[in-house]
């Protein structure tokens, strides 16, 4: 095998621009934020200093895969494969993405060394004219030169010694400032099993770089070749995988862009809706505040009006009381101290005054009451375009003025719902115009007072109440309607519950002859007959009522209840008519 040295991957190619070398993402540890020190490449392709990884808290994991894991590195290249099965392992979390990293047997130091990161650190240090670099030979002095053949950083003294040695006399030594345009100036990668040998070969069977000593040792008879000869095949496979991965990256970027766009639209929509909510709530608050002010002003007006009325009534009563006391005191004094002649002389004036005072009409009860209430659930119209609730009510329901209305007030039928309406009014006979009053209704059979009928009271919120009930049996029922535990006008009253409405089994016709099509056996409840053996009625013949009627019961009203009570055979004969 002959080694062919060709920079296939551009290891010594010039960079298009120097500033990119200073990218902290390539040279600085994401954990300690300093330059990489012995950087290790994690399976998630993040690079972290060895020291930073050793400071992470490990945890126990169980490896059920068996054999080597994907965290193997140069330090585990030559370890023998263990039989598959459960193997207790330790793991750490990547400090960048929190991905689980299963540590190999050698721990953190057995992870793959990131030589690219080391090269970038070297380049950045060289851009700083060797600041922080020490000689690779003496490890004491600052670096001034670099041997391109040995890939070693040298101080001035070691550089001179390097030139004097016969073996390294013809090596290419350059100044550090001349290396700033290169993309790679890293050290040679040595074999972990044979530290004196450089990794220049690749074992196809084990799929790992090896040195010359490895070829004649552990990798004897394995297909091996120089890295420069196999890089084409393996580089092409990596490029093909990269080519297949890039579309997914683009798809993910597009999906991420859509998610961000949707998130932006969502935020805008949320802000717009929030603005609508604030506008609505602010307007609603203003409407409520305005309605509140109106209610408070209305309440104040009611207070002033009723207070004035009470003050006027008070003044009138006080004046009348003063006049009464004056008349009583004068009359008592006259009767006790006056002579007969004095009494007779002043009798006319006293009688006239007392009579006039006794004829003065006055109300013993206050003209107004304190029954002022607030109904928060009562609709109060619209304010600033918003529906508002809450109204002040000063009316008090008067049971004696309440009225019962409805066609089913005194009649009903068994097993059919009957209903009537209660109209509540105040003492002045005006409708309350609101609901919320305590209405009590009871429907009790006259002969079964311990079995009341279930009733329903519907508050219409306008001063009227719908009352409904369903009697189960015919008979006489007593209905009691009370407001504030007092009977309303017309309560209690009786209701006659009749049997369920019976429909007509016959036909409503002019005569039997016409409705039956001339059948002789057809009959009619009117009792009319025709000559010639016809059992039913006919126009102008005996017994015909002279107007349309029901064949089953003889009633003349089409929409009426059937009163026929005949037997089943009679019913069949009466129903032998057809509607023509």
């Amino acid at each position: 095998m002959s080694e062919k040295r060709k920079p296939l991957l551009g290891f010594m190619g010039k960079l298009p621009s120097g500033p990119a070398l200073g990218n902290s993402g390539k040279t600085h540890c994401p954990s300690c934020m300093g330059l990489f020190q012995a950087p290790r490449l994690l399976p998630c392709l993040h690079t972290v200093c060895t020291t930073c990884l050793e400071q992470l808290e490990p945890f126990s994991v169980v490896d059920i895969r068996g054999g080597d894991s994907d965290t193997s590195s140069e330090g585990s290249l030559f370890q023998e494969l263990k039989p598959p099965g459960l193997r207790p392992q330790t793991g750490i979390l990547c400090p960048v993405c929190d991905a689980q990293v299963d540590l190999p047997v050698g721990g953190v130091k057995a992870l793959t060394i990131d030589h690219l990161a080391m090269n970038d650190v070297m380049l950045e240090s060289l851009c700083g004219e060797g600041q922080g670099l020490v000689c690779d030979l003496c490890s004491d002095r600052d670096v001034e030169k670099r041997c391109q053949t040995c890939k070693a950083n040298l101080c001035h003294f070691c550089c001179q010694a390097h030139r004097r040695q016969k073996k390294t006399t013809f090596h290419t030594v350059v100044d550090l400032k001349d290396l700033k345009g290169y993309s790679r100036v890293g050290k040679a990668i040595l074999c972990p099993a044979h530290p004196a040998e450089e990794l220049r070969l690749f074992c196809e069977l084990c799929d790992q770089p090896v040195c010359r000593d490895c070829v004649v040792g552990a990798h004897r008879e394995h297909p091996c070749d120089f890295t420069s000869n196999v890089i084409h095949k393996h580089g092409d496979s990596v490029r093909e995988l990269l080519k297949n991965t890039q579309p997914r990256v683009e798809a993910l970027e597009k999906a991420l862009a859509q998610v961000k766009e949707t998130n932006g639209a969502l935020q805008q929509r949320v802000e717009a809706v929030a603005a609508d909510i604030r506008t609505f709530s602010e307007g609603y608050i203003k409407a409520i505040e305005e309605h509140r002010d109106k209610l408070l002003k209305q309440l104040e007006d009611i207070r002033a009006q009723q207070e004035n009325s009470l003050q006027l009534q008070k003044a009138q009563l006080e004046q009348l009381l003063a006049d009464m006391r004056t008349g009583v005191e004068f009359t008592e004094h006259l009767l006790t101290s006056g002579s007969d002649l004095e009494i007779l002389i002043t009798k006319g004036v006293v009688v006239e005054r007392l009579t006039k005072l006794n004829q003065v009409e006055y109300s013993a009860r206050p003209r107004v009451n304190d029954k002022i209430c607030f109904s928060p659930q009562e609709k109060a119209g619209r304010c600033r375009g918003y529906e508002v609730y809450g109204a002040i009510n000063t009316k008090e329901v008067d049971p004696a003025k309440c009225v019962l209305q409805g066609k089913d007030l005194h009649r009903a039928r068994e097993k059919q719902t009957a209903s009537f309406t209660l109209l509540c009014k105040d003492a002045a006979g005006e409708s309350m115009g609101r609901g919320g009053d305590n209405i009590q209704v009871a429907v009790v059979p006259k002969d079964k007072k311990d079995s009341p009928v279930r009733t329903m009271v519907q508050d219409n919120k306008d001063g009227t109440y719908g009352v409904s009930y369903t009697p189960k049996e015919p008979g006489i029922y007593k209905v009691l309607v009370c407001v504030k535990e007092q009977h309303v006008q017309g309560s209690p009253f009786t209701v006659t519950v009749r049997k369920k409405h019976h429909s007509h089994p016959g036909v409503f016709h002019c005569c039997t002859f016409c409705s039956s099509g001339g059948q002789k056996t057809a009959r009619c409840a009117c009792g009319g007959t025709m000559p010639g053996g016809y059992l039913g009625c006919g126009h102008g013949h005996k017994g015909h009522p002279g107007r349309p009627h029901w064949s089953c019961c003889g009633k003349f009203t089409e929409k009426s209840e059937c009163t026929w009570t005949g037997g089943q055979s009679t019913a069949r004969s009466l129903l032998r008519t057809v509607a023509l």
Side-chain angles (χ1 to χ4, degrees):
M1 293 182 295
S2 62
E3 182 180 2
K4 299 180 181 179
R5 297 182 178 275
K6 295 187 293 183
L8 295 174
L9 299 181
F11 290 155
M12 298 297 293
K14 293 292 186 72
L15 292 176
S17 59
L21 296 175
N23 189 349
S24 61
K26 297 181 180 179
T27 59
H28 288 68
C29 176
S31 181
C32 65
M33 306 306 294
L35 287 175
F36 281 122
Q37 298 291 334
R40 300 286 174 174
L41 182 63
L42 304 182
C44 56
L45 301 185
H46 290 131
T47 303
V48 186
C49 293
T50 302
T51 306
C52 296
L53 292 176
E54 290 175 343
Q55 294 175 354
L56 297 177
E57 183 177 358
F59 55 87
S60 299
V61 296
V62 177
D63 184 8
I64 62 175
R65 296 169 296 181
D68 293 336
S69 66
D70 59 354
T71 59
S72 61
S73 66
E74 295 149 348
S76 60
L77 292 175
F78 308 103
Q79 296 176 359
E80 295 182 359
L81 296 177
K82 293 186 178 181
L86 294 176
R87 298 193 308 166
Q89 283 188 329
T90 57
I92 58 176
L93 294 179
C94 173
V96 179
C97 63
D98 286 337
Q100 178 178 324
V101 178
D102 298 337
L103 295 178
V105 178
V108 171
K109 292 184 179 180
L111 293 171
T112 303
I113 297 177
D114 191 348
H115 296 282
L116 287 176
M118 295 178 64
N119 177 74
D120 293 335
V121 172
M122 182 72 70
L123 286 174
E124 184 168 324
S125 299
L126 292 176
C127 289
E129 297 183 356
Q131 184 178 3
L133 294 178
V134 294
C135 180
D136 291 338
L137 297 182
C138 66
S139 302
D140 188 21
R141 301 177 182 86
D142 292 338
V143 175
E144 294 184 5
K145 305 285 185 178
R146 178 176 176 80
C147 178
Q148 293 288 62
T149 306
C150 299
K151 298 181 180 178
N153 299 324
L154 306 174
C155 64
H156 179 71
F157 179 80
C158 293
C159 180
Q160 292 179 350
H162 199 66
R163 292 181 184 275
R164 287 195 296 267
Q165 292 182 8
K166 184 178 179 179
K167 185 178 180 180
T168 59
T169 300
F170 299 101
H171 284 191
T172 303
V173 180
V174 297
D175 292 334
L176 292 183
K177 62 182 180 179
D178 296 334
L179 298 175
K180 293 182 179 180
Y182 289 91
S183 61
R184 183 167 187 81
V185 292
K187 298 179 181 180
I189 302 177
L190 302 179
C191 178
H194 308 96
E197 294 293 331
E198 184 179 354
L199 293 175
R200 295 183 178 180
L201 301 170
F202 188 81
C203 178
E204 295 286 353
L205 180 62
C206 300
D207 194 28
Q208 64 183 33
V210 294
C211 67
R212 291 181 300 177
D213 291 348
C214 294
V215 173
V216 298
H219 295 267
R220 183 187 300 273
E221 298 181 357
H222 288 189
C224 298
D225 199 354
F226 287 104
T227 55
S228 59
N229 295 335
V230 299
I231 188 60
H232 295 284
K233 179 178 67 174
H234 293 280
D236 291 342
S237 64
V238 175
R239 291 188 186 93
E240 184 64 24
L241 181 59
L242 176 62
K243 182 180 179 181
N244 296 333
T245 306
Q246 286 175 340
R248 295 178 61 84
V249 174
E250 296 175 357
L252 287 173
E253 290 176 347
K254 184 177 180 181
L256 180 60
Q258 291 179 351
V259 170
K260 291 181 178 179
E261 181 181 358
T262 303
N263 184 49
L266 174 63
Q267 296 300 328
Q268 293 180 358
R269 187 56 187 162
V270 168
E271 292 176 359
V273 174
D276 293 341
I277 293 175
R278 283 190 289 268
T279 302
F280 172 80
S281 59
E282 290 172 359
Y284 208 170
I285 291 173
K286 291 181 179 179
I288 293 176
E289 291 177 346
E290 183 176 333
H291 182 55
R292 175 202 62 192
D293 296 340
K294 290 182 179 179
L295 289 176
L296 293 176
K297 185 178 182 303
Q298 180 185 357
L299 181 62
E300 180 63 23
D301 294 341
I302 292 174
R303 183 200 64 79
Q305 179 182 0
Q306 295 192 356
E307 192 175 64
N308 291 337
S309 178
L310 290 175
Q311 291 294 338
L312 178 60
Q313 185 179 11
K314 175 185 174 183
Q316 292 175 348
L317 292 176
E318 289 177 346
Q319 182 64 42
L320 181 60
L321 178 60
D323 295 342
M324 284 286 190
R325 285 177 177 175
T326 301
V328 170
E329 291 175 357
F330 181 82
T331 304
E332 289 178 349
H333 178 66
L334 175 64
L335 294 177
T336 56
S337 303
S339 62
D340 296 340
L341 183 58
E342 292 174 342
I343 294 175
L344 292 174
I345 292 174
T346 58
K347 178 180 83 70
V349 179
V350 171
V351 170
E352 182 181 0
R353 179 58 176 171
L354 293 180
T355 302
K356 186 176 181 181
L357 291 176
N358 290 332
Q359 292 177 349
V360 175
E361 295 183 358
Y362 65 94
S363 175
R365 299 175 57 184
R367 295 176 182 176
V368 297
N369 53 56
D370 59 349
K371 302 298 182 181
I372 302 176
C373 62
F374 175 66
S375 302
Q377 298 181 351
E378 184 175 345
K379 290 185 177 181
R382 305 184 72 85
C383 181
R384 290 179 173 263
Y386 297 91
E387 188 76 28
V388 292
Y389 294 82
I392 298 175
N393 297 303
T394 57
K395 294 181 179 181
E396 184 180 12
V397 63
D398 186 355
K401 299 291 184 178
C402 297
V403 179
L404 297 172
Q405 300 174 341
K407 62 180 182 179
D408 295 337
L409 197 58
H410 297 285
R411 62 181 182 180
R413 292 186 180 273
E414 64 171 334
K415 298 180 182 180
Q416 293 183 359
T417 301
S419 61
F420 59 89
T421 302
L422 170 64
L423 177 59
C424 291
K425 297 182 179 182
D426 59 4
E430 297 181 357
S431 175
M432 293 296 296
R434 59 170 178 83
D437 293 314
N438 183 19
I439 309 300
Q440 298 173 337
V441 180
V443 179
V444 184
K446 188 175 182 180
D447 54 348
K448 295 181 180 179
K449 296 183 179 181
D450 57 344
S451 300
V453 179
R454 183 172 179 268
T455 59
M456 297 290 293
V457 179
Q458 176 65 38
D459 188 351
N460 298 324
K461 307 297 183 181
D462 58 357
T464 62
Y465 299 84
V467 181
S468 60
Y469 63 96
T470 304
K472 297 181 179 180
E473 298 177 355
I476 304 299
Y477 288 74
K478 185 178 182 180
V479 181
L480 303 93
V481 182
C482 297
V483 178
K484 298 193 324 181
E485 299 182 355
Q486 297 181 23
H487 285 282
V488 301
Q489 182 179 353
S491 176
F493 60 92
T494 58
V495 176
T496 302
V497 178
R498 295 184 295 173
K499 291 184 178 181
K500 189 176 181 180
H501 180 83
H502 294 284
S503 58
H504 293 276
V507 293
F508 191 71
H509 61 184
C510 60
C511 68
T512 307
F513 183 83
C514 295
S515 62
S516 67
Q519 296 182 13
K520 291 186 176 182
T521 57
R523 299 174 179 270
C524 182
C526 68
T529 58
M530 291 177 58
Y534 288 92
L535 302 179
C537 62
H539 291 288
H541 294 280
K542 181 180 178 181
H544 188 270
R547 52 178 173 169
H549 56 279
W550 284 100
S551 63
C552 50
C553 61
K555 281 192 172 182
F556 303 127
T557 305
E558 184 176 1
K559 294 182 180 181
S560 61
E561 182 180 5
C562 183
T563 57
W564 171 74
T565 58
Q568 185 176 4
S569 59
T570 309
R572 289 196 182 98
S573 63
L574 295 175
L575 292 176
R576 288 176 182 173
T577 57
V578 294
L580 299 179

